[in-house]
Amino acid sequence: MLLHIFARIWFIVVFIRQNVNCAHHSYEDRRDSASHASVRHQNWQRLEMMDRNGLYWLEWQIKENYIYFKVTVNTRGFIGLGFSQKDGRMYSADMVLLWVDDQTGKPNALDCHGSIQHAHGAPIQDDTQNYNVIDGYQNGTHTYVAFKRLLETCDPYDIPLGHDTIKVLWSFGKIDPIHGNLEGHGQNRGAKPLLLMNPVFRKQNKTNNQLTHQWDIVVNNVTLEPSMDTLYWCKIIRAPILHRKHHIIGYEPLLTHVSTADDTVVHHMTLFECSAKSYPGSDSESWDVWVRSTGTVCNSNSLTPRDWDSCSTPVAVWSVGSTGQFLPHHVGIPIGGSSGVKYYMLEIHYDNPKALRAVDHSGFRIHYTPQLRANDGGIIISGVSISDTQIIPPGQKLYRNVGICGPSCSNVLFPEDGIKIISGTLHTHRAGRKMSLRHIRGGKELQRIIEDDNYDYKYQQFHQLANETVVLPGDFIITDCAYDTTHRKRATFGGYSTKHEMCLSFITYYPKIELAGCYSMTPVREFFEMFGVNQFYSLNMTDVENLFLYNGNLLDYMPNTIYAKTKPNQTNMSAEDIVVEGSLLNKLLISDPVEFHDRTFLSHINQLPWSEPLFTKRVEHAMITGKHMTFCRVSNESMSIPSEIIRYPNFTSFVKPPSSCTYNLLIDSIQLNSNGSRSVAPLSLSLLLVGICVKNI
Ligand SMILES: *[C@@H]1O[C@H](CO)[C@@H](O)[C@H](O)[C@H]1NC(C)=O
Ligand SMILES: *[C@@H]1O[C@H](CO)[C@@H](O)[C@H](O)[C@H]1NC(C)=O
Ligand SMILES: *[C@@H]1O[C@H](CO)[C@@H](O)[C@H](O)[C@H]1NC(C)=O
Ligand SMILES: *[C@@H]1O[C@H](CO)[C@@H](O)[C@H](O)[C@H]1NC(C)=O
Ligand SMILES: *[C@@H]1O[C@H](CO)[C@@H](O)[C@H](O)[C@H]1NC(C)=O
Ligand SMILES: *[C@@H]1O[C@H](CO)[C@@H](O)[C@H](O)[C@H]1NC(C)=O
Ligand SMILES: *[C@@H]1O[C@H](CO)[C@@H](O)[C@H](O)[C@H]1NC(C)=O
Ligand SMILES: *[C@@H]1O[C@H](CO)[C@@H](O)[C@H](O)[C@H]1NC(C)=O
Ligand SMILES: *[C@@H]1O[C@H](CO)[C@@H](O)[C@H](O)[C@H]1NC(C)=O
Ligand SMILES: *[C@@H]1O[C@H](CO)[C@@H](O)[C@H](O)[C@H]1NC(C)=O
């Protein structure tokens, strides 16, 4: 849905030098004959339609140090495939050109990279060819080529392929490269973010005899007015009537506006279980009334029934860019049965920066089965509590926030042999650039559970772990987020709208425990002390603390606490202004110390010297390694675990084993001007004319 942005990007310059020497890259030379026979029968693990019309299909799988690809494209000409860690532009990408020779029928692969000298230059042939053709053919309409490369080739012109999100570029044209001009492939190009290393548990298919049912959960006609910038909508749903326990084996989003991806207004959806204590016995009359209603704004003090607070344990989570998730065969999320949950709450976060008018009926398609799996699974939300005490200063390239889930939760709720994590989604809003889910045991950081150094907030796909991670009682898990606010003039705070930030992870695990969420935040007093503020007019710190922690509306720390915000009737107001307008921090007037007298806390924050790296680093470090107030949100309402103030644990960081390659990546490391163009060095002009993927002279 997010791909339009990249769609304009990859265009191949159209000149070809007639004497381009591709002969020595021919089929015989580089064909991997051992794998040839097997390739057509391989069970390709991953399949992705790259365009919107089913013209370009990419399949791949990882075996040992190699990644095997297969492209099947509706053309008899050339096929391009590329990888970029950045924005999906061709000039900074690692590329391969593929074609089947019309005369000889030989499949070819040519390893290239984007021109570093010119933003829209022709791709240049790499000195070392690292792609090996395995097989290929073309018929009257299609070309198919299977090929492989090392995940890490040690060629400075090839991007190492790993666990980070990567932009995969695709293109195709009508003519083979060796036949000259490639003009006219028009719209046949684009880029798509992907997690190449994800093992994907597929949707069940008919041949394996698993009986599955579908349960569609959607909102009815939620109307978004142009004046609504952010809307959190909640609806209560009755569970299907199942007399014995079943297992949810996966879920997919049902989105109203898929066809116009750029105009989609659904940013995030969560389906929560509502704890049975809130509807004891037959006293579920009001719940049945709510089931029939269309829903309401979430967590409004006046509109949302208090009982809905009991809907806190996630069973399905979707964020923009995700395709949903299917669980591995040994795990299912319980549903139904006599003691099962009767009601669920669907929460949808609408984001409407373009001030559209939209009627929405999005939701989830839940797949469940009566054939029980070996383990009950669940989902936990962890990270930074949604609060104004989460702060990211303006003008920062990579500023970190951390949310801690500590022993106060894990000691009490985890079983003795721990929980096993099978997947996770990392969630920030627009400023998120790097994210990881870290794991600390006994003063030592273990291997990162999830790490994405190329985080793309528009592609919040599940990271499925190749190996389950066991988290034991007493362990810490830390959600670590790094943000880019280079172009922001004012501080960004934690909050619900996409102009605010979040730092959350949604963790799928088993066996299911009675934990819904595990968060931390900088304690309120420490937060103000850190910025040298001792006292406000009219409210003492205890009052302020209570306001931050227990105010049911804007500043509640619970992630299902929601609001709808209306844009002021001033079209010239910037997004930043709107955020400032609504913030409680803008209402707190400093009385002590005298040097900050009569400033609001917000204006105080914005006057701090954030452009001084030493100052900013100190604040960042103090916030990370300082005190954290941890919250353990339990799904069983008869239990409660008090919040606790802890210090950041002391630990030695996990260090990735060094790469076996010694080189600096030559591509994908170029800085763009802020307007996205690059100045063209005079020499590079000639390259433009040299042709497609020619030898780098
Ligand atoms: C050509 O190949 C494509 C892809 O393998 C296949 O779908 C199509 O049916 C083939 N067409 C003919 C005429 O064989
Ligand atoms: C369907 O499931 C069976 C058994 O799990 C598997 O062997 C087969 O490859 C699957 N087919 C598809 C199209 O996924
Ligand atoms: C949604 O609105 C349309 C048009 O107003 C109406 O025809 C339809 O019945 C409504 N659907 C529901 C489920 O309320
Ligand atoms: C998963 O575990 C296997 C066996 O312990 C190990 O060989 C492999 O490297 C692990 N994979 C990852 C991605 O850690
Ligand atoms: C803070 O103010 C409240 C009244 O607003 C008062 O009840 C409370 O005792 C005060 N706390 C302290 C520590 O002064
Ligand atoms: C916004 O302001 C304009 C001019 O002041 C007025 O005509 C319009 O009705 C207002 N819109 C809303 C939604 O209040
Ligand atoms: C928006 O427009 C109003 C009236 O034209 C003006 O008074 C105000 O200063 C403007 N605000 C900004 C942020 O430009
Ligand atoms: C909730 O916790 C209490 C006390 O630990 C326990 O007795 C009860 O069975 C739990 N309820 C559920 C639904 O698990
Ligand atoms: C971490 O180490 C420092 C210095 O050794 C110590 O002051 C601090 O209390 C330790 N923190 C924890 C949580 O143990
Ligand atoms: C882009 O920025 C560069 C340097 O800041 C400037 O020279 C160039 O004119 C700008 N280009 C456009 C199209 O604004």
Side-chain angles (χ1 to χ4, degrees), residues 401-427:
N401 288 162
V402 296
I404 302 176
C405 178
S408 58
C409 264
S410 65
N411 272 337
V412 181
L413 289 169
F414 287 18
E416 205 174 310
D417 45 2
I419 58 163
K420 296 178 184 69
I421 297 180
I422 53 186
S423 73
T425 313
L426 305 173
H427 185 71

Side-chain angles (χ1 to χ4, degrees), residues 525 538-543:
R525 279 166 201 273
S538 70
L539 292 172
N540 62 31
M541 273 298 169
T542 311
D543 291 336

Side-chain angles (χ1 to χ4, degrees), residues 388-394 489-493 527-528 530-533 536 583 585-586 588 590 596 599-611 615 619 623:
D388 275 359
T389 62
Q390 182 186 1
I391 178 173
I392 304 143
K489 301 273 183 299
R490 298 205 187 100
T492 304
F493 292 90
F527 175 73
F528 290 115
M530 190 163 299
F531 297 110
V533 172
F536 297 105
S583 172
L585 298 178
N586 202 30
L588 294 171
I590 301 171
F596 309 148
R599 282 184 196 168
T600 68
F601 184 72
L602 199 64
S603 64
H604 173 57
I605 287 287
N606 284 320
Q607 285 174 51
L608 293 172
W610 296 118
S611 57
F615 171 80
V619 173
M623 297 273 264

Side-chain angles (χ1 to χ4, degrees), residues 180-420:
N181 204 316
L182 292 187
E183 207 161 5
H185 63 284
Q187 291 306 304
N188 297 329
R189 59 192 143 81
K192 187 170 195 163
L194 287 173
L195 288 167
L196 291 174
M197 306 291 276
N198 248 4
V200 164
F201 311 117
R202 294 254 188 99
K203 199 152 131 176
Q204 296 301 307
N205 63 42
K206 297 215 165 63
T207 56
N208 66 357
N209 289 327
Q210 183 146 33
L211 194 57
T212 64
H213 305 288
Q214 289 179 7
W215 178 34
D216 286 359
I217 300 167
V218 290
V219 293
N220 288 333
N221 284 358
V222 172
T223 305
L224 206 63
E225 299 293 345
S227 65
M228 291 170 168
D229 176 61
T230 299
L231 173 68
Y232 277 77
W233 192 260
C234 281
K235 170 158 176 42
I236 302 294
I237 290 119
R238 198 178 213 296
I241 293 170
L242 302 169
H243 296 295
R244 59 182 195 84
K245 182 168 103 176
H246 286 54
H247 266 153
I248 294 173
I249 59 167
Y251 51 85
E252 299 168 280
L254 296 172
L255 298 169
T256 310
H257 299 283
V258 263
S259 54
T260 54
D262 274 353
D263 291 336
T264 189
V265 288
V266 179
H267 174 81
H268 183 148
M269 305 189 286
T270 313
L271 182 69
F272 293 100
E273 290 175 354
C274 304
S275 156
K277 226 191 162 199
S278 54
Y279 46 87
S282 57
D283 181 26
S284 53
E285 229 170 81
S286 44
W287 285 86
D288 289 330
V289 172
W290 295 327
V291 165
R292 288 192 294 273
S293 93
T294 54
T296 186
V297 170
C298 311
N299 235 75
S300 142
N301 278 338
S302 51
L303 298 172
T304 322
R306 285 237 66 85
D307 280 348
W308 294 21
D309 287 354
S310 75
C311 308
S312 65
T313 310
V315 291
V317 174
W318 177 88
S319 293
V320 67
S322 166
T323 51
Q325 100 162 316
F326 283 84
L327 300 171
H329 293 291
H330 57 295
V331 184
I333 297 174
I335 181 172
S338 52
S339 62
V341 169
K342 272 214 201 100
Y343 300 94
Y344 289 82
M345 183 176 81
L346 173 60
E347 173 195 288
I348 303 187
H349 171 186
Y350 295 98
D351 180 33
N352 192 15
K354 289 185 183 163
L356 304 174
R357 186 171 200 288
V359 177
D360 187 68
H361 40 270
S362 297
F364 286 104
R365 169 162 295 165
I366 305 286
H367 298 262
Y368 63 95
T369 178
Q371 289 159 317
L372 291 183
R373 294 174 163 195
N375 299 282
D376 282 352
I379 298 176
I380 302 169
I381 311 180
S382 187
V384 178
S385 298
I386 297 163
S387 151
D388 275 359
T389 62
Q390 182 186 1
I391 178 173
I392 304 143
Q396 305 303 312
K397 190 106 191 93
L398 277 176
Y399 185 91
R400 284 171 59 216
N401 288 162
V402 296
I404 302 176
C405 178
S408 58
C409 264
S410 65
N411 272 337
V412 181
L413 289 169
F414 287 18
E416 205 174 310
D417 45 2
I419 58 163
K420 296 178 184 69

